[in-house]
Amino acid sequence: MYSPYLRTILVLCIAGLYGSCTTAEKTKPTEGTALQHDAAYQDYLYQYSVIDALLSGVYDGNLSVGALREKGTLGVGGFNRLDGELYMDKGEVYKIRYDGSVHKVSDTAKIPIAFVKHFQADTTFTLVQKEMGYEKFKVRLQSFLNENEMYAIRISGTFPKVLARAPAPAGKPYPPLAEHLKEHQYGFGLEHTRGTGVGFYLPAFMGKVNIPGFHFHYLSEEKRSGGHVLDFVADSLYVEIDRASGFVVRSPDDEDFRRADLQKDRKAEVEEIE
C-alpha cells in the first residue's frame, strides 16, 4: 500500500508519538516547584506503600516519621518490623507497642506503611447513645458519609471500654501479616479512659491499596494506653470529619516492595486482620 520510503517515515512518526528509545535522566524539581506541588495536594489523603504489600510481608520501609509529618497531621500506620501501631494527631506521632507501652517517636524512625492527611474538619457533631458499641457507632456515622468518598475522622470522649491491639515485632524472613498476627498480636482491654481515636473511612474501590471501611487507632488522654481499635463502648462522642479530595500513593523504593506478590486477592486476609 505504501512505498518503503513512506513506511519508514510512518514508523518514525509513530515512534515520535509514543516515545523514543532513549532514556533521559530525571531532573530534581526546584524548591519552589516542590512547594507548589505539595500545596496542590493539601486536601488529599497521602499514603506510603499499599495495604497488600503489608499483607504480603513487606514490613520495612525507608520513609522517616519526619518526612511523614510533612504530609499530614492526622493518621495511622505502623513501624518497621511491625514494632507497634502508629498514631498521629495534631502532627505528633506516637508508637503503641505490644506490651501496651506508649512512646513519642523521633523524626528518624522508619515506617513500612502509613495513611495521613492534613486534618481540617468540615463537619462536627456529637453522637449520644447509652453504651454505644463500635459497630453501632459505625452504622450511625455511615449515615453522615457518602460511601464513594474518602474521609479522615477524629473521635473523642470518655470510653468505659476499649478493646485495642498492637503487634509484636516480626523476625526475618517475614511471614504474611495474617500469619504473624495469629501468634504475635496482643490485645488490651482498656477501662474508663478518656482519649481520641483517629482514622479513616475509605470506599470499597480502594481495596487493593488501603483498607475499605473504617480504621481507627486510639490513644488515651494521658498518653499511657491505646492501639488499633477492635471494639469500644461510649455514651457520647465528639466527631470531627474531614472529607478528602483525593489520594496520593508513594511506593517504597526497595526490592522487598518490588518482589512482593501484589496480584493475589487478599480480601479475606484484610477481613481476618480487621
Side-chain angles (χ1 to χ4, degrees):
M1 182 176 179
Y2 300 111
S3 69
Y5 175 73
L6 287 176
R7 281 199 297 269
T8 301
I9 292 177
L10 286 170
V11 169
L12 291 173
C13 288
I14 291 170
L17 286 171
Y18 288 95
S20 66
C21 296
T22 60
T23 59
E25 183 179 352
K26 289 184 179 179
T27 58
K28 186 177 180 179
T30 63
E31 183 178 353
T33 302
L35 290 174
Q36 291 173 6
H37 176 79
D38 284 348
Y41 293 97
Q42 285 289 303
D43 199 37
Y44 277 46
L45 163 65
Y46 172 90
Q47 67 176 69
Y48 175 67
S49 193
V50 296
I51 191 62
D52 276 18
L54 191 73
L55 290 167
S56 69
V58 181
Y59 300 159
D60 291 325
N62 48 32
L63 184 71
S64 70
V65 166
L68 182 69
R69 279 155 47 93
E70 296 176 1
K71 302 300 183 181
T73 57
L74 176 148
V76 299
F79 294 93
N80 279 6
R81 299 188 302 123
L82 288 186
D83 186 14
E85 301 283 359
L86 184 151
Y87 174 101
M88 177 192 280
D89 189 28
K90 298 180 180 178
E92 299 296 325
V93 178
Y94 294 87
K95 175 192 291 189
I96 301 139
R97 301 197 72 220
Y98 72 98
D99 59 2
S101 62
V102 178
H103 308 267
K104 195 168 183 180
V105 181
S106 73
D107 282 348
T108 58
K110 296 295 180 66
I111 58 177
I113 193 165
F115 320 114
V116 300
K117 188 183 185 301
H118 289 286
F119 190 81
Q120 186 172 354
D122 41 48
T123 303
T124 62
F125 53 87
T126 300
L127 282 180
V128 179
Q129 180 177 328
K130 187 67 174 176
E131 297 185 347
M132 176 173 49
Y134 188 33
E135 293 303 317
K136 183 62 176 179
F137 164 78
K138 290 189 287 186
V139 171
R140 293 192 63 184
L141 187 57
Q142 181 71 69
S143 66
F144 294 91
L145 310 177
N146 183 291
E147 64 181 3
N148 294 327
E149 305 247 48
M150 294 165 276
Y151 302 90
I153 304 168
R154 179 192 285 126
I155 58 175
S156 54
T158 298
F159 295 81
K161 295 180 181 179
V162 177
L163 177 60
R165 69 135 191 258
K172 291 186 175 182
Y174 295 143
L177 183 60
E179 181 179 327
H180 178 73
L181 292 182
K182 283 179 182 178
E183 308 227 354
H184 298 93
Q185 72 167 336
Y186 294 80
F188 317 118
L190 312 179
E191 295 188 351
H192 305 294
T193 62
R194 180 169 181 81
T196 300
V198 300
F200 298 91
Y201 170 81
L202 300 174
F205 66 77
M206 291 186 67
K208 287 292 288 183
V209 296
N210 209 313
I211 300 173
F214 293 98
H215 183 172
F216 285 97
H217 289 184
Y218 176 76
L219 186 64
S220 65
E221 191 171 69
E222 73 279 8
K223 312 221 171 16
R224 294 180 182 174
S225 59
H228 173 102
V229 174
L230 299 175
D231 199 2
F232 66 67
V233 173
D235 296 330
S236 175
L237 290 175
Y238 181 63
V239 180
E240 302 168 81
I241 299 173
D242 181 8
R243 174 188 169 276
S245 298
F247 70 101
V248 175
V249 179
R250 174 181 167 183
S251 299
D253 186 18
D254 59 54
E255 286 304 313
D256 287 344
F257 181 81
R258 295 187 186 99
R259 290 195 299 264
D261 180 4
L262 302 182
Q263 307 305 314
K264 181 178 178 180
D265 184 353
R266 299 184 182 274
K267 183 178 179 181
E269 294 175 51
V270 171
E271 292 174 353
E272 182 178 350
I273 67 168
E274 285 296 301

